Amino acid sequence: MSEGLASPVGLVTQSPLAFALILVGLYWGVKILRTPDASRPPRASYWIPWLGSALEMGKDPDGFFSNMTKLHGPVFTVKALGQEMVYVTSPSLISTVYRDSQNFDFTSIRVEMGYKVFQLREHISSAPYMVDTYMGQLHNLLLPSNIHPIVEAYTASAHDSLLSMISSMDGASGALKTFIIPSAYRAACHAGFGRDFPAEKSYPFFKAFDDDFHLIGAGLPKFLLSKPLKAWDELVDVIENYVKEQDEKREDLNQFLAAGLDGYRRGEWTSRDTATVLACQLWALQANAIFTAYWLLAILLQQPEGLDPIVAELDAARRQWQAAHPSKPLGPAFFETVATSSKSLPLLSSAIQETLRVTTSTFSPRRVVNPVQLGGYQLLPGDRVICVTRLTHLDDDIHPHAREFDMRRYLQTPRATKDGKPVANHSMPFGGGTSMCEGRHFALAELRVFLAILLTYATIDIDEGCMTRPEFALERMGLGVMHPKGDMDVVLRKRRL
Ligand code: HEM
Ligand SMILES: *[C@@H]1O[C@H](CO)[C@@H](O)[C@H](O)[C@H]1NC(C)=O
Ligand SMILES: *[C@@H]1O[C@H](CO)[C@@H](O)[C@H](O)[C@H]1NC(C)=O
């Protein structure tokens, strides 16, 4: 007996593999005997308990979701890392979920992310002050009619840093990221927090947090997240010092900063709470936009036409502006006027939309709060639903030749149909419904400004000696614009205008 495998304790210590196999066997025995409930969404099959489909999904998310949709239809359940979610992949059902915020709740998820991901104190994240007052102020500041001051601040800063970068780098070859990310990040910091914000100092902390954001979002245990959480703490430190300094100022405050400081001054938040709220704001402001600028250039440079058509459009707009304002020097005023009107630079705007179509992987999360039918299945309170918008972006029926990048695709609004029915929501890089990106109008304006300034004052070409190209970091699915994995070297030259 003491030597034998018959004792379960002996089995665990002497042959953990055999023990594990028996457990998996038992698990499957129970699973197979249980008949699935046909009223509930079908489940993606998997072999390994807890882990579920995580590996397959992580390796090739586009292939995984498209296979599952072919197999099960547009509503199905997937288990991954111990969590079960109902995924919704068709534009019509996504639209149903977006419109029905009574049954598909987002507010509770936003509150939960506040304390689980962004380390806000729980009662601060859920307080009416946060949910109604602060979020309401933010919403107002980001309405198209109100973004002018931040676009102006962004333009001044981007103009300044791009011009000095271009003069110091004239003729240099370097990684594309190094020409784009620092200036784009800095300008957005200045727009969102004021000219004195220590952008350079904050960047390494932002980056360390953002690089591991998908791990925090996946809910891994805290001891595996010490690096990004420490970086987040340091980012909050930088912002807290800045907040205390700025609080002495009574006028001429940046509006977003003022909205954050309001909570502090009213005694709703400590300086730490205020800085944490502003750090969330910083993350939302930066995490997607800087990489959209990067991808637009990285992708266009690899197209046969390169950047030429975009530059031609820009040069024509500049000449027209200069003819109309003969006494004004070329400067921020030009970039603000052309770049804030969505009608100017139509090709650049289309190329930005196309970049977002191709590079975003956006999941909109919801929690079911009442029993509700979706796509013929019964959903129950507590079910978690994820709208997978990327599959719509890659659908050949909706976007002809969806795998190809076509900078002219959005010159006309795509008239998309699927199964004979018009598809209103053919492009959802910003998510939709109650969780739709509040910053989208500013994001589109800042991208037009950034690219217009860069391509007016500089040329960028792929360094012929460079063989590497950036790829999508697919493991970051669901978080918006995918990060580039790897990079490419480019040569930057100052244009003689
Ligand atoms: C190209 C740039 C951007 C992209 C692709 C993007 C994308 C997204 C996505 C996918 C979401 C979640 C949507 C959902 O769950 O349905 C989101 C939320 C949000 N974004 Fe953006 N974003 C961008 C730029 C910005 C900027 C510049 C700001 C700030 C000025 C911003 C502020 C926000 C805020 C505040 C939310 C949260 C909305 C909420 O919780 O209700 N975003 N964004
Ligand atoms: C999707 O299905 C195809 C064809 O059956 C298969 O070759 C591919 O590996 C599958 N991809 C994923 C990620 O499941
Ligand atoms: C989806 O389409 C509807 C109807 O046209 C529109 O009201 C809604 O804003 C759209 N949502 C997104 C995310 O584009």
Side-chain angles (χ1 to χ4, degrees):
M1 180 73 200
S2 64
E3 298 280 290
L5 285 179
S7 136
V9 177
L11 183 61
V12 174
T13 54
Q14 290 173 22
S15 181
L17 180 64
F19 182 68
L21 284 176
I22 289 173
L23 275 189
V24 172
L26 278 175
Y27 171 84
W28 275 98
V30 171
K31 228 177 119 81
I32 287 165
L33 288 177
R34 232 183 22 195
T35 39
D37 176 354
S39 71
R40 297 281 284 155
R43 310 161 115 260
S45 61
Y46 57 90
W47 290 98
I48 312 169
W50 192 79
L51 196 60
S53 306
L55 295 181
E56 271 172 282
M57 191 154 89
K59 223 185 294 162
D60 174 12
D62 297 342
F64 177 80
F65 286 114
S66 123
N67 282 5
M68 288 303 135
T69 304
K70 275 186 212 132
L71 198 63
H72 298 297
V75 182
F76 49 85
T77 300
V78 177
K79 177 137 183 188
L81 304 181
Q83 304 196 41
E84 233 171 45
M85 307 272 186
V86 177
Y87 288 85
V88 181
T89 61
S90 76
S92 58
L93 290 179
I94 289 175
S95 189
T96 304
V97 173
Y98 282 165
R99 270 190 260 119
D100 184 1
S101 60
Q102 295 304 308
N103 289 314
F104 297 96
D105 175 63
F106 176 66
T107 307
S108 66
I109 294 179
R110 185 196 281 148
V111 167
E112 191 179 293
M113 283 181 64
Y115 59 85
K116 285 200 175 153
V117 176
F118 295 109
Q119 317 299 315
L120 278 167
R121 291 191 293 160
E122 189 172 339
H123 70 279
I124 296 288
S125 189
S126 61
Y129 182 79
M130 176 77 187
V131 177
D132 304 326
T133 312
Y134 177 71
M135 293 299 292
Q137 277 175 317
L138 201 63
H139 172 84
N140 270 326
L141 287 173
L142 289 167
L143 289 175
S145 51
N146 293 341
I147 58 173
H148 188 71
I150 46 170
V151 173
E152 200 172 62
Y154 182 93
T155 308
S157 175
H159 195 264
D160 196 50
S161 30
L162 283 173
L163 244 57
S164 70
M165 188 271 285
I166 292 165
S167 352
S168 67
M169 291 301 196
D170 186 12
S173 166
L176 180 58
K177 278 178 201 164
T178 62
F179 292 130
I180 306 301
I181 307 294
S183 306
Y185 178 85
R186 180 173 183 268
C189 279
H190 290 166
F193 301 99
R195 264 195 326 244
D196 301 327
F197 185 80
E200 284 82 359
K201 192 172 171 198
S202 72
Y203 180 71
F205 305 133
F206 163 79
K207 183 177 184 320
F209 174 76
D210 184 43
D211 282 350
D212 283 350
F213 187 83
H214 57 299
L215 305 178
I216 305 176
L220 292 189
K222 280 210 169 164
F223 71 92
L224 293 173
L225 301 172
S226 56
K227 191 174 136 243
L229 292 179
K230 179 162 176 282
W232 182 250
D233 223 39
E234 287 168 313
L235 180 63
V236 176
D237 287 342
V238 171
I239 299 177
E240 190 176 359
N241 285 332
Y242 179 70
V243 163
K244 286 182 180 159
E245 220 174 84
Q246 294 285 308
D247 183 43
E248 327 252 298
K249 267 172 91 171
R250 288 288 140 176
E251 55 211 48
D252 196 27
L253 264 187
N254 172 284
Q255 293 168 293
F256 283 85
L257 188 65
L261 265 176
D262 198 38
Y264 181 51
R265 288 173 173 173
R266 290 201 211 179
E268 294 280 346
W269 296 338
T270 64
S271 64
R272 195 69 186 169
D273 297 330
T274 309
T276 312
V277 170
L278 290 174
C280 301
Q281 191 53 38
L282 174 75
W283 184 78
L285 178 68
Q286 302 285 5
N288 292 290
I290 55 182
F291 291 115
T292 312
Y294 172 86
W295 278 123
L296 180 103
L297 291 164
I299 296 173
L300 278 175
L301 283 168
Q302 296 179 66
Q303 299 285 305
E305 297 176 285
L307 297 166
D308 293 351
I310 303 277
V311 174
E313 178 186 71
L314 195 56
D315 286 355
R318 171 170 51 83
R319 286 197 200 97
Q320 207 181 354
W321 185 86
Q322 286 177 310
H325 304 86
S327 59
K328 280 198 191 166
L330 180 64
F334 163 64
F335 296 103
E336 266 170 47
T337 48
V338 297
T340 52
S341 153
S342 54
K343 293 202 179 56
S344 63
L345 305 180
L347 184 61
L348 177 60
S349 299
S350 169
I352 291 169
Q353 297 273 5
E354 177 69 342
T355 302
L356 289 169
R357 179 184 71 84
V358 171
T359 63
T360 48
S361 165
T362 294
F363 286 174
S364 303
R366 297 290 186 270
R367 189 168 281 137
V368 176
V369 286
N370 302 303
V372 62
Q373 293 275 325
L374 187 71
Y377 298 110
Q378 181 67 52
L379 301 187
L380 298 172
D383 282 351
R384 285 190 293 167
V385 172
I386 304 275
C387 300
V388 182
T389 60
R390 182 168 172 77
L391 218 56
T392 301
H393 295 189
L394 300 181
D395 187 328
D396 279 317
D397 296 341
I398 298 172
H399 301 280
H401 310 288
R403 291 278 157 183
E404 284 163 30
F405 184 92
D406 174 5
M407 69 173 102
R408 297 180 180 80
R409 193 183 292 272
Y410 290 88
L411 278 176
Q412 272 93 43
T413 309
R415 226 170 269 130
T417 56
K418 174 98 184 159
D419 307 324
K421 279 186 250 154
V423 179
N425 301 81
H426 49 75
S427 307
M428 300 171 275
F430 298 110
T434 42
S435 65
M436 189 169 197
C437 175
E438 302 257 16
R440 63 195 183 281
H441 309 290
F442 173 67
L444 295 175
E446 84 180 283
L447 286 163
R448 279 198 296 267
V449 170
F450 186 87
L451 292 154
I453 298 174
L454 181 64
L455 297 176
T456 294
Y457 295 118
T459 62
I460 296 179
D461 298 283
I462 297 182
D463 186 333
E464 282 171 11
C466 172
M467 293 301 143
T468 60
R469 296 292 180 263
E471 283 168 28
F472 296 138
L474 292 168
E475 68 274 14
R476 287 182 65 101
M477 70 186 135
L479 298 175
V481 177
M482 288 178 278
H483 279 192
K485 226 192 302 205
D487 202 347
M488 64 207 261
D489 289 339
V490 296
V491 179
L492 181 130
R493 290 188 193 83
K494 189 169 170 167
R495 287 180 74 186
R496 323 270 160 231
L497 292 176

